[in-house]
Amino acid sequence: METIYLSQKDMLEICQDGDKYFLRYPTFNITMPEVVQEIPKEAADSYISGEHTGKELMNYAQFGFWKSKKQYTQEESDKIFIRNNPDLIFNDLSDNQKIFSPEEFSQIVTQAIVSKLKPSELDSIGVVDSHLELLLVDPIGWEEEIEAVHLKILQEKINNYIYFLEGKQYVERYGDDFDQKVIHITFQYSPSDNGLALLATVQKTLQNTDMSLKVELPA
């Protein structure tokens, strides 16, 4: 990606990668310190020629057209920005929940948690002390506003780990000579009571199998 225009005044940078153009600018937000969004060549040319300001170009990158054609309230702007960046829903859950309908809030939370927890992927797999260990890392909080969605996606990921072991999808790479097979879940945040109940249910499900659950809670 090559920088084709840099404005210290507007604190933005226009880059080109092949036939694609990107706008890059800082947000001063700790969780997302920089935004990089693709923009049309026409929008880049319009800014470089002086037809539009840097702020107008940033708005264009967010909304898809020059903001002067349609004025947004602060709440509308916040909603659009969060829709484009679902992870930001976690920044202030209570306030963010108020500006969306229950259905859309749940949809955005689901999108954000799926992007972090990745229920269809194995985080890590390896052999530890003669047993096969699958590591599952849960980096999501347990706030009341997102607990139900968190539980659903975590259960989906655990089920996928169990299906992986039951289907012996590891055999080609690791063989099948193990004392036991362990699903090792490590939590960044202490689970809620419902989260602990889910783990207890999984433990019960794995009884009388060659699989077991190992849970690591934050100190």
Side-chain angles (χ1 to χ4, degrees):
M1 188 179 296
E2 177 185 359
T3 299
I4 61 171
Y5 190 89
L6 179 65
S7 172
Q8 294 183 345
K9 175 185 175 183
D10 292 331
M11 298 184 68
L12 61 79
E13 181 180 356
I14 297 176
C15 305
Q16 183 176 359
D17 185 5
D19 59 353
K20 293 184 177 181
Y21 290 77
F22 297 87
L23 173 66
R24 175 185 290 161
Y25 59 90
T27 64
F28 305 103
N29 184 315
I30 294 175
T31 59
M32 191 183 70
E34 183 180 71
V35 169
V36 179
Q37 290 179 300
E38 185 176 356
I39 57 174
K41 180 179 185 300
E42 293 76 13
D45 291 341
S46 182
Y47 166 71
I48 293 172
S49 68
E51 184 177 349
H52 289 283
T53 66
K55 184 176 181 180
E56 288 172 342
L57 182 61
M58 293 176 194
N59 287 328
Y60 182 97
Q62 290 182 38
F63 306 133
F65 48 81
W66 299 111
K67 191 178 176 184
S68 57
K69 296 179 181 179
K70 176 177 174 61
Q71 295 300 318
Y72 287 92
T73 65
Q74 184 60 50
E75 182 175 296
E76 289 172 333
S77 297
D78 291 343
K79 289 170 72 173
I80 292 171
F81 193 64
I82 291 173
R83 287 190 192 110
N84 291 335
N85 304 276
D87 285 358
L88 297 183
I89 197 76
F90 298 125
N91 285 0
D92 195 332
L93 283 168
S94 295
D95 285 346
N96 289 335
Q97 187 178 36
K98 294 173 185 176
I99 66 176
F100 292 103
S101 68
E103 294 78 13
E104 187 171 13
F105 180 77
S106 178
Q107 182 181 23
I108 294 172
V109 167
T110 298
Q111 186 178 354
I113 293 179
V114 165
S115 71
K116 287 181 173 292
L117 198 53
K118 298 180 175 61
S120 63
E121 298 181 11
L122 289 179
D123 295 334
S124 180
I125 180 173
V127 179
V128 180
D129 297 331
S130 300
H131 65 259
L132 186 69
E133 181 166 302
L134 276 61
L135 179 65
L136 191 164
V137 179
D138 187 325
I140 308 298
W142 291 90
E143 293 85 351
E144 182 180 355
E145 295 89 347
I146 65 172
E147 182 192 47
V149 178
H150 186 178
L151 283 168
K152 178 181 177 181
I153 297 172
L154 177 59
Q155 182 168 15
E156 178 185 350
K157 180 151 188 166
I158 293 173
N159 288 343
N160 286 336
Y161 274 45
I162 293 173
Y163 297 151
F164 177 87
L165 292 173
E166 288 179 335
K168 296 184 180 296
Q169 298 178 45
Y170 54 85
V171 171
E172 182 176 349
R173 182 173 180 182
Y174 295 96
D176 199 22
D177 184 21
F178 302 106
D179 296 337
Q180 59 179 321
K181 298 153 193 172
V182 178
I183 299 175
H184 178 185
I185 307 178
T186 176
F187 290 94
Q188 184 173 341
Y189 302 96
S190 294
S192 63
D193 289 343
N194 288 326
L196 294 174
L198 170 62
L199 297 175
T201 299
V202 174
Q203 291 269 27
K204 186 175 181 180
T205 300
L206 296 180
Q207 285 180 353
N208 303 319
T209 74
D210 61 352
M211 294 177 281
S212 63
L213 189 66
K214 175 181 176 183
V215 176
E216 183 177 343
L217 301 178

